Amino acid sequence: MKTILNFVTNYKGFVFGKVRQGSQGIAVEIHPRKNSKAVCSECGKPCPTYDTFQTPRRFEFVPLWNIPVFFLYKMRRVTCPEHGVIVERVPWGDGKCTQTIEQRQFLANWARRLSWSEVAECFHTTFGKVFRAVKWIVEYGLEHRNLDGVESIGIDEVQIRKGHKYATLVYQIDDGNKRLLGVEADRTEESLENFFKDFDEGTKGEDKRSLKIKWVCSDMWKAYLNVVGKVCSNALNILDRFHVKGHLTEAVNDVRKMDVAKLKKEGREPVLTKSKYIFLKNPENLTDDQADKMSELLGYNLRVVRAYLMKEDFERFWEYKTAYWAGRFLDAWCVRAMRSKMEPMKKFVKMVRKHRELLMNWFRSKGLSSGVVEGFNNRVKLTARKAYGFRSLESLKIALFHALGKLPEPKNTHRFW
Ligand SMILES: [Zn+2]
């Protein structure tokens, strides 16, 4: 046991002592190496020992062959010229936490592959301990991450709970470096301003990180556009294809609802029953049954059918090679949509016309893949669903950073997972 522990750890100034096996697992004593000095937990300087606790403290280590392993160590207090009488620092843990750094890292890394409760179950620990392990590693990562060199960001809002609870998420979407950069409560100007406050920390004047951003991909949400215009003054703001499509899909769905109500009012055959997802899906994703239903519906003279066809037609906009021809297509499309006399479609056109410039920026940013934000959006929703039961935004934030933040981790002698 000692040989293995010496192989996987490197605790300078300490040696492993007696190893006992009890009902709770394997207990390993740790002692200070002879003539080694304890270290102040505040400043890390070696100091004379003041006294030693008589009851050993218990630290959980990584289980071996499914047997729990824990360390027993009698903590010392030191007399630090600067910090007075203070408890020592030990290399396998910190403060009052009973989990070793190795165990926290071990649990946290499994928590990327399994749900947190599965991790607790597999490794004979509690959900709370898995949570604290993840929290610790996320905090370490946020403290040590490097935010320099971010050139493209994507901003997205995600509904985190039913009843309009939103969070603002910011991603780095550069080629070769895509990661979650920030999670802020709500989707107000303040949310985004809070993000940039953190993001710019440690930089000032012309060296501000927000001024080095060249591309911002976002929705037409006014609060975001305002802040981006103010803070990222060197960036080109692009409307994300994914968000534009989202608005258009919503318009088609609103037309569908109007049609359903109209058919019902006129006492006609309810042909639109169970059609919602048919109109929301991309045609290539329809099942055989849905495709049959769709071709049947296309035969009816319904407003939703016309709206749907317009939505499909709009896809061509993104295929243009030049902004000029895309712009001509867009304007012609908008005229047709306005003539359609469908309120939701007209509402969409008004939005597009208002932000035409930002929409056209998409063609200047060729190469900046807009699928990235959409991909993150899906993964965020998945993580939020897996983290179901989290009461606070704070815990969701930890889960999201853990899954998508690409955060640095403490270096180890041995990789336990
Ligand atoms: Zn000190």
Side-chain angles (χ1 to χ4, degrees):
M1 188 71 201
K2 275 203 255 184
T3 310
I4 295 170
L5 281 169
N6 279 318
F7 179 70
V8 298
T9 63
N10 181 22
Y11 303 147
K12 283 201 182 77
F14 299 89
V15 291
F16 292 108
K18 263 188 218 137
V19 177
R20 274 173 290 129
Q21 208 237 305
S23 56
Q24 290 182 21
I26 301 169
V28 182
E29 284 178 15
I30 295 183
H31 305 291
R33 191 182 289 279
K34 265 202 187 96
N35 302 323
S36 79
K37 267 183 158 180
V39 162
C40 165
S41 56
E42 196 66 42
C43 61
K45 284 186 191 126
C47 303
T49 300
Y50 175 81
D51 63 0
T52 305
F53 287 102
Q54 281 319 292
T55 36
R57 192 178 282 179
R58 212 182 115 117
F59 295 91
E60 290 169 36
F61 194 68
V62 180
L64 180 69
W65 299 321
N66 210 15
I67 308 164
V69 175
F70 53 93
F71 296 156
L72 294 173
Y73 177 70
K74 288 176 180 162
M75 300 291 285
R76 293 169 287 179
R77 284 196 296 177
V78 297
T79 321
C80 173
E82 207 178 320
H83 301 101
V85 175
I86 187 169
V87 74
E88 69 173 315
R89 179 191 293 175
V90 290
W92 56 83
D94 62 30
K96 293 181 178 62
C97 188
T98 59
Q99 296 173 278
T100 57
I101 291 171
E102 287 87 346
Q103 196 220 22
R104 281 182 277 192
Q105 222 173 337
F106 175 79
L107 294 176
N109 274 289
W110 276 106
R112 281 211 183 86
R113 298 167 183 233
L114 306 172
S115 79
W116 296 6
S117 45
E118 280 170 326
V119 174
E121 203 185 304
C122 287
F123 302 109
H124 306 287
T125 184
T126 61
F127 185 87
K129 281 187 175 167
V130 176
F131 174 74
R132 284 194 291 279
V134 174
K135 183 169 187 271
W136 180 83
I137 209 148
V138 165
E139 279 164 2
Y140 175 95
L142 289 176
E143 221 167 279
H144 291 84
R145 70 178 169 164
N146 183 357
L147 289 174
D148 294 335
V150 176
E151 292 194 339
S152 322
I153 60 168
I155 306 169
D156 193 10
E157 83 265 14
V158 172
Q159 196 174 6
I160 47 170
R161 227 175 300 152
K162 289 227 164 95
H164 299 290
K165 269 277 185 186
Y166 285 93
T168 296
L169 306 189
V170 183
Y171 313 106
Q172 177 176 10
I173 54 171
D174 284 309
D175 269 345
N177 203 356
K178 299 179 175 48
R179 58 179 165 158
L180 176 67
L181 290 178
V183 180
E184 300 291 339
D186 230 327
R187 48 170 183 172
T188 58
E189 290 195 17
E190 202 190 344
S191 321
L192 201 51
E193 277 164 0
N194 283 341
F195 165 76
F196 283 117
K197 221 182 282 164
D198 282 350
F199 182 69
D200 279 336
E201 207 186 288
T203 60
K204 57 182 174 199
E206 283 180 17
D207 287 330
K208 271 193 178 174
R209 291 193 190 96
S210 51
L211 292 176
K212 308 253 157 105
I213 294 176
K214 291 183 183 153
W215 308 98
V216 179
C217 218
S218 76
D219 196 358
M220 292 173 248
W221 187 244
K222 193 159 178 269
Y224 294 165
L225 299 182
N226 287 348
V227 177
V228 168
K230 239 184 320 185
V231 180
C232 311
S233 41
N234 296 327
L236 200 61
N237 198 345
I238 307 148
L239 293 188
D240 200 359
R241 177 174 176 173
F242 153 67
H243 284 122
V244 175
K245 189 168 183 183
H247 289 293
L248 190 47
T249 306
E250 214 178 286
V252 173
N253 195 38
D254 287 346
V255 174
R256 188 190 61 85
K257 282 187 208 155
M258 284 165 41
D259 273 351
V260 170
K262 191 164 174 257
L263 288 174
K264 202 175 166 195
K265 204 173 142 215
E266 293 171 355
R268 287 162 61 193
E269 194 190 350
V271 286
L272 286 172
T273 315
K274 289 184 185 159
S275 68
K276 179 175 173 186
Y277 295 101
I278 296 179
F279 290 109
L280 300 188
K281 269 186 171 180
N282 288 333
E284 63 271 22
N285 295 337
L286 292 176
T287 63
D288 286 347
D289 280 353
Q290 287 172 329
D292 285 347
K293 174 101 183 168
M294 178 57 103
S295 40
E296 184 200 324
L297 287 172
L298 289 176
Y300 288 91
N301 186 19
L302 290 163
R303 285 177 296 182
V304 61
V305 170
R306 277 185 291 136
Y308 173 80
L309 293 174
M310 293 186 86
K311 177 191 131 191
E312 285 311 308
D313 190 37
F314 191 86
E315 287 300 298
R316 278 162 55 202
F317 172 72
W318 311 102
E319 311 298 331
Y320 280 92
K321 294 272 186 300
T322 66
Y324 174 77
W325 290 105
R328 295 211 21 181
F329 170 81
L330 181 68
D331 295 339
W333 188 93
C334 285
V335 170
R336 266 181 289 137
M338 286 307 274
R339 279 190 197 138
S340 73
K341 298 201 178 70
M342 293 182 272
E343 270 319 308
M345 300 306 277
K346 282 159 82 174
K347 203 175 119 202
F348 175 79
V349 169
K350 278 176 203 151
M351 192 158 58
V352 162
R353 282 185 173 158
K354 195 169 150 202
H355 300 291
R356 190 178 188 276
E357 190 63 21
L358 299 182
L359 197 58
M360 298 315 293
N361 279 347
W362 196 79
F363 292 91
R364 290 182 203 132
S365 76
K366 272 294 180 208
L368 187 67
S369 165
S370 56
V372 182
V373 175
E374 185 173 13
F376 269 119
N377 184 287
N378 290 333
R379 288 168 69 198
V380 163
K381 281 186 188 146
L382 197 74
T383 308
R385 211 175 310 145
K386 265 209 298 201
Y388 177 73
F390 286 167
R391 288 274 162 255
S392 67
L393 176 70
E394 212 44 44
S395 12
L396 181 64
K397 208 167 159 173
I398 289 165
L400 291 176
F401 269 122
H402 189 50
L404 309 168
K406 281 197 188 162
L407 297 172
E409 285 185 28
K411 292 218 168 16
N412 286 106
T413 313
H414 174 74
R415 207 182 133 134
F416 290 89
W417 60 92

